């Protein structure tokens, strides 16, 4: 099936450092979403992107919808211990046959050292 | 505003049994999607319901089925359980009319023994 390639797979950083992760695909998406998941819980939506080139911020988080519509990145600035968790990108393909269906990346596990 | 509610949170079943999971979406949301999350396969789309109709379906065997009621609550059923069905089952609700994000519930952890 469709795949999103998310990298890096894991990151171990020092508190205060900036973090960057990205997702790429060979397919064109009309929506990109970034989620954070804590152990035993469902993913929580961080940022939603709907237009190519769109750059959106949510506090210390910034995400962009790639111009080619095949990629997206998420940046976290000045990381803090509570940023620990698994971050997922998710995309929705064009077309009515893809309504309600998200394709997820494999996730980036972030660990922050105080 | 209440979030997405999934029940039960945890479930242990024996191989060959069947199970029904429930999802109550955010008030006003008419779309409910279901996902299976496993360490090996990640998050995989099962199906999506909108206004009581299945609108989209993933690549899962027919043992996995679902339905949606007139109040938008949804259930998914897995029959003849296999060990490999052990997973976190998540549902997500949305307006279903395009745009907007998808809000996930906390999931149901199913263990098949």
């Amino acid at each position: 099936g469709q795949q999103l390639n998310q990298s890096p797979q894991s990151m171990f950083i020092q508190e205060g450092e900036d973090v960057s992760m990205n997702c790429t695909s060979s397919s064109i998406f009309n929506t990109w979403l970034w989620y954070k998941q804590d152990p035993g819980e469902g993913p929580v939506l961080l940022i939603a992107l709907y237009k190519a080139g769109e750059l959106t911020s949510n506090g210390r988080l910034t995400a962009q919808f790639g111009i080619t519509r095949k990629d997206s990145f998420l940046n976290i600035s000045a990381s803090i211990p509570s940023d620990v968790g698994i971050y997922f990108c998710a995309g929705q393909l064009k077309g009515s046959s893809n309504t309600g269906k998200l394709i997820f990346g494999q996730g980036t596990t972030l660990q922050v050292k105080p | 505003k209440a979030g997405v509610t999934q029940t039960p949170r945890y479930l242990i079943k024996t191989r060959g049994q069947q199970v029904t999971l429930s999802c109550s979406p955010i008030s006003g949301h008419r779309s409910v999607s279901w996902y299976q999350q496993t360490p090996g396969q990640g998050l995989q789309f099962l199906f999506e319901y909108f206004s009581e109709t299945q609108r989209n379906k993933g690549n899962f065997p027919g043992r996995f089925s679902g339905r949606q009621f007139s109040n938008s609550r949804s259930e998914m059923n897995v029959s003849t359980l296999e060990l490999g069905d052990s997973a976190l089952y998540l549902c997500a609700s949305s307006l279903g009319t395009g745009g907007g994000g998808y809000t996930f519930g906390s999931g149901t952890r199913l263990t098949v023994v």
Side-chain angles (χ1 to χ4, degrees):
Chain A
Q2 294 288 343
Q3 288 264 320
L4 286 181
N5 299 310
Q6 185 172 349
S7 64
Q9 190 173 354
S10 63
M11 302 182 76
F12 189 81
I13 62 171
Q14 197 77 30
E15 183 178 358
E17 289 183 350
D18 297 344
V19 171
S20 184
M21 58 191 79
N22 69 85
C23 274
T24 61
S25 174
S26 57
S27 301
I28 293 175
F29 288 83
N30 68 352
T31 300
W32 282 96
L33 305 169
W34 285 92
Y35 287 90
K36 177 175 183 259
Q37 186 175 27
D38 292 324
E41 297 295 327
V44 174
L45 181 65
L46 299 173
I47 293 179
L49 303 159
Y50 304 106
K51 290 171 55 176
E54 180 180 356
L55 183 70
T56 297
S57 293
N58 178 8
R60 295 178 296 106
L61 278 60
T62 302
Q64 184 160 29
F65 193 139
I67 289 291
T68 64
R69 300 174 71 182
K70 296 181 180 181
D71 63 328
S72 177
F73 72 74
L74 173 71
N75 287 339
I76 305 173
S77 63
S79 58
I80 59 178
S82 62
D83 290 334
V84 165
I86 304 177
Y87 292 80
F88 290 97
C89 62
Q92 183 170 332
L93 295 164
K94 283 186 64 175
S96 58
S97 63
N98 294 297
T99 303
K101 175 182 178 181
L102 294 178
I103 298 169
F104 282 83
Q106 303 95 321
T108 295
T109 300
L110 178 64
Q111 298 180 67
V112 180
K113 183 178 180 181
Chain B
K1 195 175 189 182
V4 179
T5 303
Q6 289 190 246
T7 57
R9 283 298 306 271
Y10 303 94
L11 210 47
I12 300 176
K13 289 287 188 179
T14 303
R15 263 185 309 175
Q17 287 186 314
Q18 73 166 17
V19 67
T20 299
L21 313 181
S22 178
C23 174
S24 293
I26 290 172
S27 178
H29 284 192
R30 293 164 64 191
S31 166
V32 174
S33 303
W34 288 90
Y35 293 81
Q36 180 195 66
Q37 186 176 27
T38 59
Q41 298 299 316
L43 280 144
Q44 300 286 319
F45 172 77
L46 282 156
F47 31 65
E48 186 244 4
Y49 285 86
F50 178 80
S51 292
E52 302 178 65
T53 300
Q54 186 181 87
R55 199 162 56 168
N56 212 336
K57 190 177 186 304
N59 297 322
F60 279 81
R63 300 185 297 106
F64 292 82
S65 63
R67 59 178 176 169
Q68 187 179 35
F69 302 94
S70 58
N71 62 357
S72 294
R73 189 177 72 85
S74 177
E75 290 181 346
M76 68 163 281
N77 184 78
V78 188
S79 62
T80 319
L81 284 166
E82 300 177 359
L83 295 179
D85 296 333
S86 294
L88 181 66
Y89 289 88
L90 295 158
C91 75
S93 85
S94 72
L95 291 171
T97 54
Y102 294 80
T103 303
F104 282 82
S106 296
T108 294
R109 169 72 63 185
L110 171 65
T111 302
V112 182
V113 297

